[in-house]
Amino acid sequence: MNTLDKDIRELQKRLSDGLIQRAYRGIVSYMSRLRTVFADQRGERATSGLYQGYFDMTYFALFSDELKERDLKLAVVFNYETFGLEVWLTARNRKIQRRYWELFLNTGYKKHRLVEPAVGIDAIVTAVLATDYSVEDEDSLNAHIVEGVMAFERDIVSFLSEVDARKTP
């Protein structure tokens, strides 16, 4: 069993050649530029700052009027576990997260992956945007990500509108 001291020594050894730092800076830098693409399209007020994370995720949030009025938002995420780019539907707090998770679950939502609430889990619904990509073809990757986020957002907003319509007599 590894102790924290052993883990730290191993990390030091792996960081010694600088490769991990360069790759991490590259990921954070790319996500920062991607965030700017969305901020240019949606406005600075509709785009959060970049959260660099702890080698778990790097992300920024997007706020649309349709989602914001429900205390929901989107997160564009670089997931370090899968090295994939994803989009998540998230909520302002855990209580709202649970309420929407139950809504999606109880209405049989199947379009994207539903994520059960748990400690450390922020997503309600997720979609993978890219797993096999090159950040060196940034314009193409950005276009793919923007298109995927927009499609995900349309799906979520449409679904929520349909649920609302069913409630109204």
Side-chain angles (χ1 to χ4, degrees), residues 53-116:
Y54 296 104
F55 276 119
D56 56 347
M57 66 179 124
T58 296
Y59 75 91
F60 56 90
L62 300 173
F63 310 97
S64 69
D65 291 339
E66 298 89 354
L67 294 176
K68 197 173 185 179
E69 68 189 22
R70 299 170 188 271
D71 291 324
L72 298 171
K73 58 190 169 189
L74 299 180
V76 179
V77 179
F78 180 86
N79 182 333
Y80 288 86
E81 185 176 326
T82 64
F83 265 68
L85 288 148
E86 303 173 357
V87 59
W88 298 358
L89 176 66
T90 66
R92 184 170 48 95
N93 60 43
R94 299 287 180 210
K95 182 178 176 184
I96 295 165
Q97 176 188 15
R98 165 85 45 194
R99 185 174 78 226
Y100 276 97
W101 176 79
E102 288 174 356
L103 174 84
F104 279 82
L105 179 69
N106 294 335
T107 54
Y109 182 82
K110 300 276 188 226
K111 179 115 187 185
H112 300 288
R113 187 169 85 77
L114 192 57
V115 181
E116 186 169 356

Side-chain angles (χ1 to χ4, degrees), residues 8-9 14 16 43 77 92 130 162:
I8 289 171
R9 283 193 292 280
R14 292 187 184 197
S16 66
V77 179
R92 184 170 48 95
E162 289 172 18

Side-chain angles (χ1 to χ4, degrees), residues 18 20 26-27 31 52 54 70 87 104 110 123 137 142 156-157 161:
I20 292 173
I27 290 165
M31 290 296 290
Q52 291 185 5
Y54 296 104
R70 299 170 188 271
V87 59
F104 279 82
K110 300 276 188 226
D137 186 5
N142 288 351
I156 296 297
V157 169
S161 295

